PDB file of all heavy atoms in Angstrom:
ATOM      1  N   TYR A  93      -3.836   7.079   7.905  1.00 81.00           N
ATOM      2  CA  TYR A  93      -3.934   8.004   9.059  1.00 81.00           C
ATOM      3  C   TYR A  93      -2.655   8.778   9.294  1.00 81.00           C
ATOM      4  O   TYR A  93      -2.471   9.321  10.371  1.00 81.00           O
ATOM      5  CB  TYR A  93      -4.254   7.179  10.374  1.00 81.00           C
ATOM      6  CG  TYR A  93      -5.647   6.608  10.229  1.00 81.00           C
ATOM      7  CD1 TYR A  93      -5.879   5.274  10.037  1.00 81.00           C
ATOM      8  CD2 TYR A  93      -6.755   7.451  10.323  1.00 81.00           C
ATOM      9  CE1 TYR A  93      -7.094   4.711   9.946  1.00 81.00           C
ATOM     10  CE2 TYR A  93      -8.031   6.880  10.254  1.00 81.00           C
ATOM     11  CZ  TYR A  93      -8.256   5.533  10.034  1.00 81.00           C
ATOM     12  OH  TYR A  93      -9.435   5.026   9.874  1.00 81.00           O
ATOM     13  N   LEU A  94      -1.806   8.880   8.364  1.00 80.00           N
ATOM     14  CA  LEU A  94      -0.487   9.622   8.500  1.00 80.00           C
ATOM     15  C   LEU A  94      -0.652  11.059   8.986  1.00 80.00           C
ATOM     16  O   LEU A  94       0.065  11.441   9.843  1.00 80.00           O
ATOM     17  CB  LEU A  94       0.301   9.640   7.118  1.00 80.00           C
ATOM     18  CG  LEU A  94       1.725  10.138   7.206  1.00 80.00           C
ATOM     19  CD1 LEU A  94       2.519   9.254   8.156  1.00 80.00           C
ATOM     20  CD2 LEU A  94       2.288  10.108   5.816  1.00 80.00           C
ATOM     21  N   PRO A  95      -1.566  11.873   8.476  1.00 75.00           N
ATOM     22  CA  PRO A  95      -1.616  13.194   9.072  1.00 75.00           C
ATOM     23  C   PRO A  95      -1.944  13.191  10.498  1.00 75.00           C
ATOM     24  O   PRO A  95      -1.406  13.990  11.312  1.00 75.00           O
ATOM     25  CB  PRO A  95      -2.721  13.860   8.220  1.00 75.00           C
ATOM     26  CG  PRO A  95      -2.798  13.135   6.911  1.00 75.00           C
ATOM     27  CD  PRO A  95      -2.431  11.713   7.357  1.00 75.00           C
ATOM     28  N   GLN A  96      -2.883  12.372  10.911  1.00 75.00           N
ATOM     29  CA  GLN A  96      -3.328  12.317  12.388  1.00 75.00           C
ATOM     30  C   GLN A  96      -2.233  11.671  13.241  1.00 75.00           C
ATOM     31  O   GLN A  96      -1.934  12.103  14.311  1.00 75.00           O
ATOM     32  CB  GLN A  96      -4.545  11.547  12.502  1.00 75.00           C
ATOM     33  CG  GLN A  96      -5.752  12.255  11.807  1.00 75.00           C
ATOM     34  CD  GLN A  96      -6.974  11.397  11.768  1.00 75.00           C
ATOM     35  OE1 GLN A  96      -6.885  10.116  11.847  1.00 75.00           O
ATOM     36  NE2 GLN A  96      -8.092  12.042  11.459  1.00 75.00           N
ATOM     37  N   ILE A  97      -1.519  10.637  12.654  1.00 73.00           N
ATOM     38  CA  ILE A  97      -0.427  10.076  13.468  1.00 73.00           C
ATOM     39  C   ILE A  97       0.721  11.115  13.587  1.00 73.00           C
ATOM     40  O   ILE A  97       1.311  11.084  14.703  1.00 73.00           O
ATOM     41  CB  ILE A  97       0.002   8.768  12.669  1.00 73.00           C
ATOM     42  CG1 ILE A  97      -0.997   7.665  12.836  1.00 73.00           C
ATOM     43  CG2 ILE A  97       1.436   8.333  13.350  1.00 73.00           C
ATOM     44  CD1 ILE A  97      -0.664   6.477  12.020  1.00 73.00           C
ATOM     45  N   GLY A  98       0.899  11.826  12.612  1.00 73.00           N
ATOM     46  CA  GLY A  98       2.047  12.851  12.692  1.00 73.00           C
ATOM     47  C   GLY A  98       1.608  14.089  13.409  1.00 73.00           C
ATOM     48  O   GLY A  98       2.413  14.978  13.646  1.00 73.00           O
ATOM     49  N   GLY A  99       0.354  14.223  13.833  1.00 68.00           N
ATOM     50  CA  GLY A  99      -0.102  15.354  14.629  1.00 68.00           C
ATOM     51  C   GLY A  99      -0.384  16.479  13.805  1.00 68.00           C
ATOM     52  O   GLY A  99      -0.471  17.619  14.382  1.00 68.00           O
ATOM     53  N   GLU A 100      -0.557  16.378  12.505  1.00 70.00           N
ATOM     54  CA  GLU A 100      -0.818  17.509  11.626  1.00 70.00           C
ATOM     55  C   GLU A 100      -2.119  17.386  10.957  1.00 70.00           C
ATOM     56  O   GLU A 100      -2.303  17.920   9.804  1.00 70.00           O
ATOM     57  CB  GLU A 100       0.373  17.581  10.669  1.00 70.00           C
ATOM     58  CG  GLU A 100       1.633  17.680  11.263  1.00 70.00           C
ATOM     59  CD  GLU A 100       2.663  18.558  10.587  1.00 70.00           C
ATOM     60  OE1 GLU A 100       2.292  19.049   9.496  1.00 70.00           O
ATOM     61  OE2 GLU A 100       3.771  18.564  11.012  1.00 70.00           O
ATOM     62  N   GLY A 101      -3.143  16.881  11.634  1.00 66.00           N
ATOM     63  CA  GLY A 101      -4.406  16.796  10.999  1.00 66.00           C
ATOM     64  C   GLY A 101      -5.098  18.105  10.963  1.00 66.00           C
ATOM     65  O   GLY A 101      -4.602  19.116  11.478  1.00 66.00           O
ATOM     66  N   ASP A 102      -6.341  18.131  10.462  1.00 69.00           N
ATOM     67  CA  ASP A 102      -7.174  19.276  10.343  1.00 69.00           C
ATOM     68  C   ASP A 102      -7.561  19.737  11.693  1.00 69.00           C
ATOM     69  O   ASP A 102      -8.136  18.886  12.531  1.00 69.00           O
ATOM     70  CB  ASP A 102      -8.343  18.913   9.461  1.00 69.00           C
ATOM     71  CG  ASP A 102      -9.169  20.086   9.121  1.00 69.00           C
ATOM     72  OD1 ASP A 102      -8.692  21.310   9.462  1.00 69.00           O
ATOM     73  OD2 ASP A 102     -10.131  19.978   8.426  1.00 69.00           O
ATOM     74  N   PRO A 103      -7.481  20.950  12.054  1.00 71.00           N
ATOM     75  CA  PRO A 103      -7.918  21.458  13.425  1.00 71.00           C
ATOM     76  C   PRO A 103      -9.428  21.318  13.639  1.00 71.00           C
ATOM     77  O   PRO A 103      -9.887  21.106  14.771  1.00 71.00           O
ATOM     78  CB  PRO A 103      -7.505  22.945  13.427  1.00 71.00           C
ATOM     79  CG  PRO A 103      -6.499  23.104  12.396  1.00 71.00           C
ATOM     80  CD  PRO A 103      -6.713  21.986  11.355  1.00 71.00           C
ATOM     81  N   GLN A 104     -10.143  21.319  12.524  1.00 72.00           N
ATOM     82  CA  GLN A 104     -11.641  20.980  12.603  1.00 72.00           C
ATOM     83  C   GLN A 104     -11.940  19.595  13.176  1.00 72.00           C
ATOM     84  O   GLN A 104     -12.921  19.407  13.870  1.00 72.00           O
ATOM     85  CB  GLN A 104     -12.242  21.128  11.258  1.00 72.00           C
ATOM     86  CG  GLN A 104     -12.672  22.559  10.993  1.00 72.00           C
ATOM     87  CD  GLN A 104     -13.513  22.650   9.645  1.00 72.00           C
ATOM     88  OE1 GLN A 104     -13.257  21.914   8.814  1.00 72.00           O
ATOM     89  NE2 GLN A 104     -14.494  23.596   9.657  1.00 72.00           N
ATOM     90  N   PHE A 105     -11.079  18.690  12.817  1.00 67.00           N
ATOM     91  CA  PHE A 105     -11.142  17.239  13.307  1.00 67.00           C
ATOM     92  C   PHE A 105     -11.206  17.299  14.819  1.00 67.00           C
ATOM     93  O   PHE A 105     -12.008  16.607  15.481  1.00 67.00           O
ATOM     94  CB  PHE A 105     -10.098  16.357  12.738  1.00 67.00           C
ATOM     95  CG  PHE A 105     -10.124  15.016  13.338  1.00 67.00           C
ATOM     96  CD1 PHE A 105     -10.991  14.028  12.933  1.00 67.00           C
ATOM     97  CD2 PHE A 105      -9.225  14.665  14.348  1.00 67.00           C
ATOM     98  CE1 PHE A 105     -11.009  12.775  13.339  1.00 67.00           C
ATOM     99  CE2 PHE A 105      -9.278  13.409  14.915  1.00 67.00           C
ATOM    100  CZ  PHE A 105     -10.137  12.450  14.442  1.00 67.00           C
ATOM    101  N   ARG A 106     -10.241  18.044  15.397  1.00 69.00           N
ATOM    102  CA  ARG A 106     -10.184  18.025  16.892  1.00 69.00           C
ATOM    103  C   ARG A 106     -11.393  18.715  17.428  1.00 69.00           C
ATOM    104  O   ARG A 106     -11.996  18.248  18.470  1.00 69.00           O
ATOM    105  CB  ARG A 106      -8.942  18.798  17.309  1.00 69.00           C
ATOM    106  CG  ARG A 106      -8.729  18.811  18.780  1.00 69.00           C
ATOM    107  CD  ARG A 106      -7.452  19.588  19.153  1.00 69.00           C
ATOM    108  NE  ARG A 106      -6.325  18.917  18.524  1.00 69.00           N
ATOM    109  CZ  ARG A 106      -5.091  19.095  18.907  1.00 69.00           C
ATOM    110  NH1 ARG A 106      -4.847  19.940  19.780  1.00 69.00           N
ATOM    111  NH2 ARG A 106      -4.181  18.380  18.333  1.00 69.00           N
ATOM    112  N   GLY A 112      -7.825  14.433  20.433  1.00 63.00           N
ATOM    113  CA  GLY A 112      -6.594  15.037  19.975  1.00 63.00           C
ATOM    114  C   GLY A 112      -5.890  14.170  18.964  1.00 63.00           C
ATOM    115  O   GLY A 112      -6.449  13.200  18.445  1.00 63.00           O
ATOM    116  N   PHE A 113      -4.661  14.541  18.700  1.00 62.00           N
ATOM    117  CA  PHE A 113      -3.904  13.813  17.648  1.00 62.00           C
ATOM    118  C   PHE A 113      -2.977  12.768  18.330  1.00 62.00           C
ATOM    119  O   PHE A 113      -2.169  12.108  17.644  1.00 62.00           O
ATOM    120  CB  PHE A 113      -3.102  14.724  16.758  1.00 62.00           C
ATOM    121  CG  PHE A 113      -4.041  15.622  15.891  1.00 62.00           C
ATOM    122  CD1 PHE A 113      -4.014  16.976  15.989  1.00 62.00           C
ATOM    123  CD2 PHE A 113      -4.960  14.965  15.070  1.00 62.00           C
ATOM    124  CE1 PHE A 113      -4.771  17.781  15.142  1.00 62.00           C
ATOM    125  CE2 PHE A 113      -5.778  15.807  14.297  1.00 62.00           C
ATOM    126  CZ  PHE A 113      -5.653  17.185  14.396  1.00 62.00           C
TER     127      PHE A 113
END
Side-chain angles (χ1 to χ4, degrees):
Y93 294 107
L94 188 62
Q96 293 167 346
I97 290 172
E100 304 215 2
D102 189 4
Q104 273 187 325
F105 173 80
R106 184 179 297 198
F113 294 121

